[in-house]
Amino acid sequence: MPSPSLLLRALHADITTLDCDAIVNAANSSLLGGGGVDGAIHRAAGPALREACRALNGCRTGEAKLTPGFRLPARYVIHTVGPIWRGGRQDEATLLAACYRNSLELARQHDLRTLAFPCISTGVYGFPAHLATPIALRTVREHGAGFDEITFCCFSTADLRLYEAALAGTK
Ligand code: APR
C-alpha cells in the first residue's frame, strides 16, 4: 500500500528543469545518450554525465542505474531502459513495470525522497501511452512507500491529460 504521506502528481514540464532529488531518464541500453528525454537530460547535465554513464557499462531493459545530476537542478539521474513496443506480447508491460519498480528501489537505497519520471518508452520506443500510464501509476502506487513526492513529468498535454484522468481515478 502507498504510504499515507506519498504525494503523486502529474506536471506538464521539461524534466530537466525539475529541482528534485532525482529525475529518471528513459535511456537506451548503452547509456551513452540519444534523442528524446535522454538527449535533453544529457544536454542539460553536460558532458560529465556521459563520462559517468560510460563507467556504468550499459544497462539492461527494465534495470536502473544512478549517476549524479551534474549541471541539472536534480541531484541525481536514475537511468532506466524501457522496453521497445513490439505489439504487446513480448513482456513489454512487465518490463515497463520493472523500470518504475527498479528506479524506485534504487532511489530508496540512496534515501532519495522526491522523484520525477518521464513517460518511459512512449516516445521512440512506441509503447502506447494509454497502456503505459496505468502501468506506471499502479507500479508507483504499489512501490512508492517511503517517498515524499513522485512526479509524472509529461512533455505533452496529451500525456498530462492521461495522467490527470488516471490520478483522478477515471479512465
Ligand atoms: N522532459 C520530459 N519528457 C520528455 C522530454 C523532456 N525534456 N523530452 C521528451 N520527453 C518525453 C517524450 O515526449 C515521451 O513522452 O519522454 C517520453 C519518452 O520518450 P523518449 O525520450 O523517446 O524515450 P523512449 O520512448 O523511452 O525511447 C528511448 O529514445 O532518446 C532515445 O536514447 C533513447 O534510445 C532511447 C529511446
Side-chain angles (χ1 to χ4, degrees):
M1 282 300 290
S3 62
S5 64
L6 171 61
L7 171 66
L8 296 183
R9 65 173 185 159
L11 198 61
H12 184 207
D14 172 346
I15 202 167
T16 65
T17 66
L18 300 186
D19 179 4
C20 48
D21 288 342
I23 59 172
V24 177
N25 181 22
N28 59 58
S29 54
S30 76
L31 292 186
L32 296 178
V37 69
D38 193 8
I41 288 173
H42 275 272
R43 276 193 301 279
L49 180 61
R50 186 183 168 93
E51 289 319 304
C53 285
R54 194 185 301 283
L56 295 176
N57 300 317
C59 184
R60 288 204 310 260
T61 301
E63 302 290 320
K65 292 193 176 180
L66 184 97
T67 66
F70 296 108
R71 295 182 192 153
L72 286 162
R75 288 195 295 137
Y76 293 96
V77 181
I78 290 175
H79 306 263
T80 191
V81 180
I84 296 171
W85 181 256
R86 293 188 171 89
R89 283 190 290 278
Q90 301 199 31
D91 281 339
E92 294 96 323
T94 305
L95 287 166
L96 183 64
C99 288
Y100 287 89
R101 189 179 65 253
N102 288 323
S103 296
L104 288 168
E105 185 46 43
L106 188 56
R108 207 192 323 273
Q109 285 167 11
H110 289 79
D111 299 322
L112 307 183
R113 306 299 294 262
T114 59
L115 204 54
F117 285 101
C119 303
I120 302 167
S121 278
T122 65
V124 167
Y125 281 2
F127 205 118
H130 69 284
L131 299 178
T133 302
I135 293 169
L137 217 49
R138 183 172 56 247
T139 308
V140 168
R141 280 190 170 128
E142 284 170 10
H143 300 276
F147 291 92
D148 294 339
E149 180 180 80
I150 295 175
T151 300
F152 295 101
C153 180
C154 302
F155 205 47
S156 72
T157 50
D159 287 336
L160 179 66
R161 278 195 295 276
L162 278 175
Y163 273 93
E164 285 177 336
L167 283 166
T170 63
K171 275 294 157 213

